[in-house]
Amino acid sequence: KVYSRYNQRLECILGSSQSNLSFTEVEEVRGKKEIQQLGIPPENPFICFHNRDSAFLNVLENDVDWSYHNFRDSSILNYIPAAEEMTKRGCYAVRLGAKVNEIVDSKNPKIIDYASNGMRTDFLDIYLSAKCKFILCSDTGMSFPAEVFKRPLVYVNWTVLLRLPVYALNGLIIFKKFYLKNEKRFLSFSELINLDFGGVNTNEIFSNLGLELIENTSEEIRAVTIEMDERLNGTWKTTEEDEELQQRFWALFGPDKLKSPDLRIGTEYLRSNKE
């Protein structure tokens, strides 16, 4: 019954490729002006990229220990090669965020560290997310505006398999690897699906199991970013084996788990992690 109700809602979400939010004429003028002020020429395509880190929650004025969220963290430095690649393909790359631990130190004028250059506004956060060619991000709330505005999304360093963004109209996902130090092996996807974590006791669970989380490499992130760009450009080519790997992965969730038909696991990631 839970799946039935969930799937009914999901069918409504996936039934429209258009967002039910839009900008006013005044907001459009403001947004285009502020994008140009960032250094992006009119009508030039751009992507957004963002990593989850501890900075945002750590500035909140309370005594809550937010460290149980840190399993979702990743370094922005591993996203830079993907951003560099997209600038070679004619796009600008805008790093989103409000409070961040790491600065993007790039000599490439097409890579804009909007999160730390002093030009960030709440309005532009939303406008950039709504107008980008696609967003490259981790498991973080910064993906929500792009999801609402039906933009394509590349999710990397994902962790909780049962919380996959099945509502994303057009998305690619790759995961962190979970390494069992005592057994000297990685958890399988099936084991990950059945691993219950994400609450305040997450650090304790990982410690008791001897689990170490391995971030996606810059090569993995670059590969899935290229795949999204080529899929959107109509130049990506898939194989029968690739389709079989996709089916084998999604079959792990059972026949009742509805998802967006255009939500896929990164092709190169699946090819490299069949085991």
Side-chain angles (χ1 to χ4, degrees):
K1 291 182 179 179
V2 171
Y3 265 134
S4 177
R5 288 196 299 270
Y6 183 84
N7 287 344
Q8 284 178 347
R9 295 179 181 180
L10 188 55
E11 285 174 351
C12 291
I13 293 172
L14 298 176
S16 174
S17 61
Q18 300 297 317
S19 173
N20 54 6
L21 294 181
S22 60
F23 296 97
T24 66
E25 290 184 11
V26 172
E27 289 169 335
E28 287 284 5
V29 171
R30 175 186 174 185
K32 291 176 181 179
K33 179 181 179 181
E34 292 189 17
I35 283 180
Q36 288 186 55
Q37 289 172 343
L38 285 178
I40 302 175
E43 308 305 323
N44 201 107
F46 64 91
I47 70 159
C48 294
F49 65 107
H50 176 267
N51 68 307
R52 198 272 173 193
D53 64 29
S54 61
F56 186 79
L57 288 179
N58 285 346
V59 301
L60 299 180
E61 296 180 3
N62 54 43
D63 297 325
V64 178
D65 179 6
W66 296 107
S67 64
Y68 69 90
H69 281 286
N70 292 352
F71 70 93
R72 297 188 288 134
D73 288 0
S74 57
S75 172
I76 195 64
L77 302 181
N78 287 331
Y79 296 64
I80 303 306
E84 293 278 3
E85 175 65 31
M86 288 307 301
T87 65
K88 295 176 184 176
R89 292 167 176 253
C91 292
Y92 281 72
V94 183
R95 190 269 187 97
L96 301 179
K99 306 290 183 182
V100 296
N101 285 330
E102 297 174 297
I103 304 299
V104 172
D105 184 17
S106 174
K107 301 287 192 295
N108 188 335
K110 289 189 173 183
I111 296 180
I112 302 167
D113 194 358
Y114 162 77
S116 62
N117 68 2
M119 301 179 70
R120 209 215 120 248
T121 66
D122 290 344
F123 168 78
L124 196 51
D125 284 351
I126 306 300
Y127 195 81
L128 286 166
S129 297
K131 300 297 182 178
C132 62
K133 183 174 185 179
F134 62 86
I135 183 171
L136 164 65
C137 61
S138 55
D139 179 11
T140 169
M142 198 64 240
S143 68
F144 294 161
E147 290 165 353
V148 168
F149 280 97
K150 308 285 189 176
R151 305 311 305 145
L153 295 104
V154 178
Y155 304 90
V156 300
N157 288 302
W158 199 270
T159 51
V160 185
L161 264 64
L162 283 180
R163 201 175 69 220
L164 289 174
V166 292
Y167 46 79
L169 198 66
N170 187 352
L172 292 171
I173 314 172
I174 61 175
F175 312 100
K176 284 186 178 182
K177 297 189 179 83
F178 287 62
Y179 186 70
L180 279 172
K181 291 181 284 188
N182 295 336
E183 300 182 25
K184 296 182 179 179
R185 69 175 181 88
F186 293 106
L187 291 183
S188 68
F189 292 135
S190 295
E191 289 172 316
L192 274 177
I193 288 174
N194 292 306
L195 182 62
D196 186 14
F197 67 96
V200 294
N201 61 340
T202 293
N203 292 335
E204 182 181 352
I205 291 172
F206 288 170
S207 177
N208 291 339
L209 293 175
L211 270 178
E212 178 184 0
L213 271 63
I214 311 298
E215 287 185 34
N216 292 135
T217 65
S218 58
E219 291 82 6
E220 289 173 330
I221 296 174
R222 180 177 175 273
V224 72
T225 300
I226 289 173
E227 179 178 353
M228 176 58 81
D229 187 56
E230 294 187 356
R231 284 185 179 278
L232 294 177
N233 295 341
T235 58
W236 180 261
K237 294 182 179 179
T238 189
T239 68
E240 289 185 9
E241 183 186 10
D242 292 333
E243 296 306 313
E244 180 189 351
L245 288 172
Q246 291 289 329
Q247 292 173 12
R248 285 171 57 190
F249 176 86
W250 292 106
L252 297 174
F253 294 89
D256 298 326
K257 182 74 169 177
L258 184 66
K259 75 170 186 71
S260 165
D262 291 319
L263 179 69
R264 301 171 62 89
I265 311 304
T267 299
E268 288 293 338
Y269 184 84
L270 271 191
R271 289 173 182 170
S272 301
N273 295 283
K274 298 176 186 179
E275 72 281 7

